[in-house]
Amino acid sequence: MAHPKRQHSKSRQGKRRSHHKIGEPTLAECENCGALHRYHHICKECGFYRGRQVLDVNK
């Protein structure tokens, strides 16, 4: 098993982790109402997913 010979500094650890971030979610435009929603998710404004109503949203 490989073991580190010396301890990595906190700055070196931070440099390595600088790319470990969560990216912004990709948004799509709803075909029914035009609102933005996440891909593969129900539109929160109208309750439609892929052209059919899945959730009853009372306005």
Side-chain angles (χ1 to χ4, degrees):
M1 297 291 292
H3 287 85
K5 195 165 193 174
R6 302 234 185 274
Q7 179 178 359
H8 285 153
S9 67
K10 292 178 183 175
S11 66
R12 187 179 179 101
Q13 174 182 329
K15 287 177 188 177
R16 185 182 69 246
R17 292 181 181 173
S18 67
H19 303 285
H20 296 183
K21 58 183 176 241
I22 298 174
E24 295 182 12
T26 308
L27 299 177
E29 188 175 328
C30 179
E31 297 174 0
N32 188 48
C33 68
L36 292 177
H37 65 91
R38 292 177 60 192
Y39 275 146
H40 307 290
H41 284 72
I42 299 170
C43 177
K44 293 181 181 178
E45 301 295 323
C46 62
F48 273 70
Y49 178 69
R50 298 189 71 182
R52 58 189 177 99
Q53 189 163 10
V54 180
L55 186 67
D56 186 26
V57 181
N58 295 327
K59 291 185 178 182

